[in-house]
């Protein structure tokens, strides 16, 4: 799964990377401990161009009467995404790119949760596969929300957690966004061995209120 991540890369670099038009209300960066229900920046393709704008991290199905009317859906399993009623339509028509600098996972030592920070080994930006939905609330309120697509972890990553975000390669961005026809499901694979690197970090990140660059610093031995 992916329940926390960091985004430290500047907006102008991201809009250039994705050749996207930025919104005026992007979430601030850098952020070192992004949690579900918080706004994140995502890329969608609409009306012939890409847009880089904010969405709520936590997918809101159209039948929810309020954003908290059911489970908090911040991840979507690749194996069942086309079958689940909450995600089925979005997986076909509303896919997005969710950039990140890295994400966190936890292992257990007795009752203690030990945090790890995972990045690309080559230090390039991560690009998560995502799906999104526009939810119409009461009195005309509209909320755009998203979820990160995950798949079964392989190799060393499986020692940390059984799930891992789907990381899209640059050559798959257009396919995932629906700009190159069908076949996006082929991109929903686990990162190859050696693509990711991970390190233990301090316990401060266990609090969802913590933030700051110290959260991603390697734990001193």
């Amino acid at each position: 799964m992916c329940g926390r991540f960091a985004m430290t890369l500047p907006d102008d670099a991201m809009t250039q990377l994705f050749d996207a038009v930025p919104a005026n209300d992007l979430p601030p960066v850098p952020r070192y401990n992004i949690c579900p229900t918080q706004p994140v920046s995502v890329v969608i393709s609409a009306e012939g161009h890409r847009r880089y704008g904010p969405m709520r991290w936590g997918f809101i199905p159209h039948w929810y009467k309020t954003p908290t009317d059911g489970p908090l859906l911040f991840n979507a399993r690749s194996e069942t995404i086309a079958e689940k009623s909450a995600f089925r339509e979005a997986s076909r028509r509303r896919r997005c790119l969710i950039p990140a600098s890295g994400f966190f996972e936890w292992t257990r030592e007795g009752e203690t949760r030990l945090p790890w920070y995972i990045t690309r080994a080559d230090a390039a930006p991560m690009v998560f596969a995502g799906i999104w939905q526009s939810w119409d609330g009461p009195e005309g309120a509209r909320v755009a929300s998203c979820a990160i697509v995950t798949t079964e972890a392989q190799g060393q990553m499986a020692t940390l957690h059984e799930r891992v975000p789907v990381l899209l390669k640059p050559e798959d961005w257009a396919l995932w966004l629906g700009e190159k026809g069908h076949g996006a499901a082929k991109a929903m694979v686990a990162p190859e061995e050696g693509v990711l690197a991970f390190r233990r970090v301090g316990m401060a990140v266990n609090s969802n209120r913590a933030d700051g660059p110290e959260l991603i610093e390697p734990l001193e031995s």
Side-chain angles (χ1 to χ4, degrees), residues 113-129:
R113 298 176 73 234
L114 306 177
W116 299 77
Y117 185 59
I118 300 99
T119 63
R120 287 187 58 99
D122 61 6
M126 290 181 166
V127 180
F128 301 147

Side-chain angles (χ1 to χ4, degrees), residues 2-3 5 26-27 31 34-44 51-62 64 67 71-77 81 86-87 90-91 94-100 127-135 142-150 176-177:
C2 179
F5 69 94
L26 292 168
R31 298 162 70 201
I34 300 171
C35 305
T37 73
Q38 293 180 347
V40 297
S41 296
V42 311
V43 179
I44 66 170
R51 299 175 181 173
Y52 188 59
M55 288 191 184
R56 175 191 190 266
W57 182 24
F59 192 93
I60 309 175
H62 67 83
Y64 277 24
L72 178 56
L73 305 175
F74 55 90
N75 287 163
R77 296 174 68 96
I81 195 171
F87 303 135
S91 71
R94 294 184 300 278
R95 299 186 295 269
C96 61
L97 312 179
I98 305 176
V127 180
F128 301 147
I131 55 173
W132 68 278
Q133 167 106 336
S134 183
W135 176 79
R142 177 165 290 184
V143 179
S145 64
C146 63
I148 294 171
V149 180
T150 68
W176 186 255
L177 290 173

